[in-house]
Structure formats: C-alpha cells, structure tokens
Amino acid sequence: MADADDVRRLALALPHVVEIDSDGFDFRVADHGFVWSYPERRPGKPRAIRTDIAVLYVGDEAEKQALLLGEPELFFTTPGYDGLPLVMLWLAKVGVDRLEELVTDAWRMRAPDSLAGDLGGGGRPR
C-alpha cells in the first residue's frame, strides 16, 4: 500500500513539477496544484495536515462522482470540497501502481498542453 513517500516520489518523477514547502506534501505544475496532503479542518481546532490522505485534482464533477461512487473504499470528500473537482484518497488503501495512475492523470489535467507532451504519450487522459 502507498504512503506520502510514494506520492512524493511519483510526483517529482513528472516533468516540470515543483514541490511547495509545507508540513505535508504539495505538488504543482505551472502554478497549479495537482496533489497535496489533506488539510483537515475540525471546528474549534487548528487545521491538521494529514499526510495519510492525498487530495487529487480530478478535472470535473463527473470524474469526481465516478471515483466516489466507483471506489468508495479509496475515495471520499467533505462539504468543504463541494463543487470543486477534488477528491481525497486514503493512501494506505491504494496500491502504488494505482496511485501512479491517479497522480499522473492529475498532472496531465493541470499541465498546460505545452508541457503535457513532455510526459510522453502526449495529451490529456480520456
């Protein structure tokens, strides 16, 4: 099963990725976040950075719902993410191969077309 070190290794293997200094992990391409640690907010308490949960950019609401409904053991959301094309992923429940696919897809959706070809295979997923 995967962990924050796997996220870091996979994200940094992608072209033009910048890691933002944080208490967890936070990766961007062309100034757009594509995977980061979940900043859990609990009423009356300070925000807690959860490195056991990754937030992934998924492109649109349809993809978000497909992941949430299709693999509820892996993905979840919170009211704070309503209307946003983001899902949370339990890292301990996902294999490294599946994590690589998810991180790469998130990168492709956030990278401008001028960078997407640098990955090989070209273009956007789907």
Side-chain angles (χ1 to χ4, degrees):
M1 295 295 109
D3 62 20
D5 289 334
D6 293 313
V7 173
R8 182 168 282 109
R9 179 180 53 78
L10 294 168
L12 290 173
L14 296 166
H16 309 286
V17 169
V18 174
E19 182 172 10
I20 303 302
D21 187 34
S22 73
D23 290 334
F25 52 86
D26 185 348
F27 298 97
R28 299 180 188 201
V29 60
D31 292 324
H32 297 287
F34 66 97
V35 62
W36 57 92
S37 8
Y38 174 49
E40 183 178 39
R41 291 169 179 85
R42 293 171 289 161
K45 299 194 179 205
R47 182 177 71 159
I49 302 299
R50 300 279 306 264
T51 59
D52 61 323
I53 300 170
V55 179
L56 289 157
Y57 181 82
V58 295
D60 61 31
E61 187 67 21
E63 182 66 16
K64 177 179 182 173
Q65 292 305 316
L67 292 168
L68 292 171
L69 295 171
E71 298 175 87
E73 69 283 0
L74 296 180
F75 299 100
F76 70 100
T77 190
T78 65
Y81 288 93
D82 285 350
L84 299 172
L86 305 169
V87 294
M88 278 71 81
L89 169 67
W90 294 105
L91 292 173
K93 296 181 179 183
V94 68
V96 175
D97 289 344
R98 178 74 165 122
L99 179 62
E100 181 176 19
E101 173 188 328
L102 293 163
V103 169
T104 302
D105 282 353
W107 180 94
R108 281 187 175 130
M109 285 183 266
R110 294 302 265 176
D113 289 336
S114 62
L115 298 180
D118 290 350
L119 186 59
R124 305 231 182 271
R126 288 179 265 306

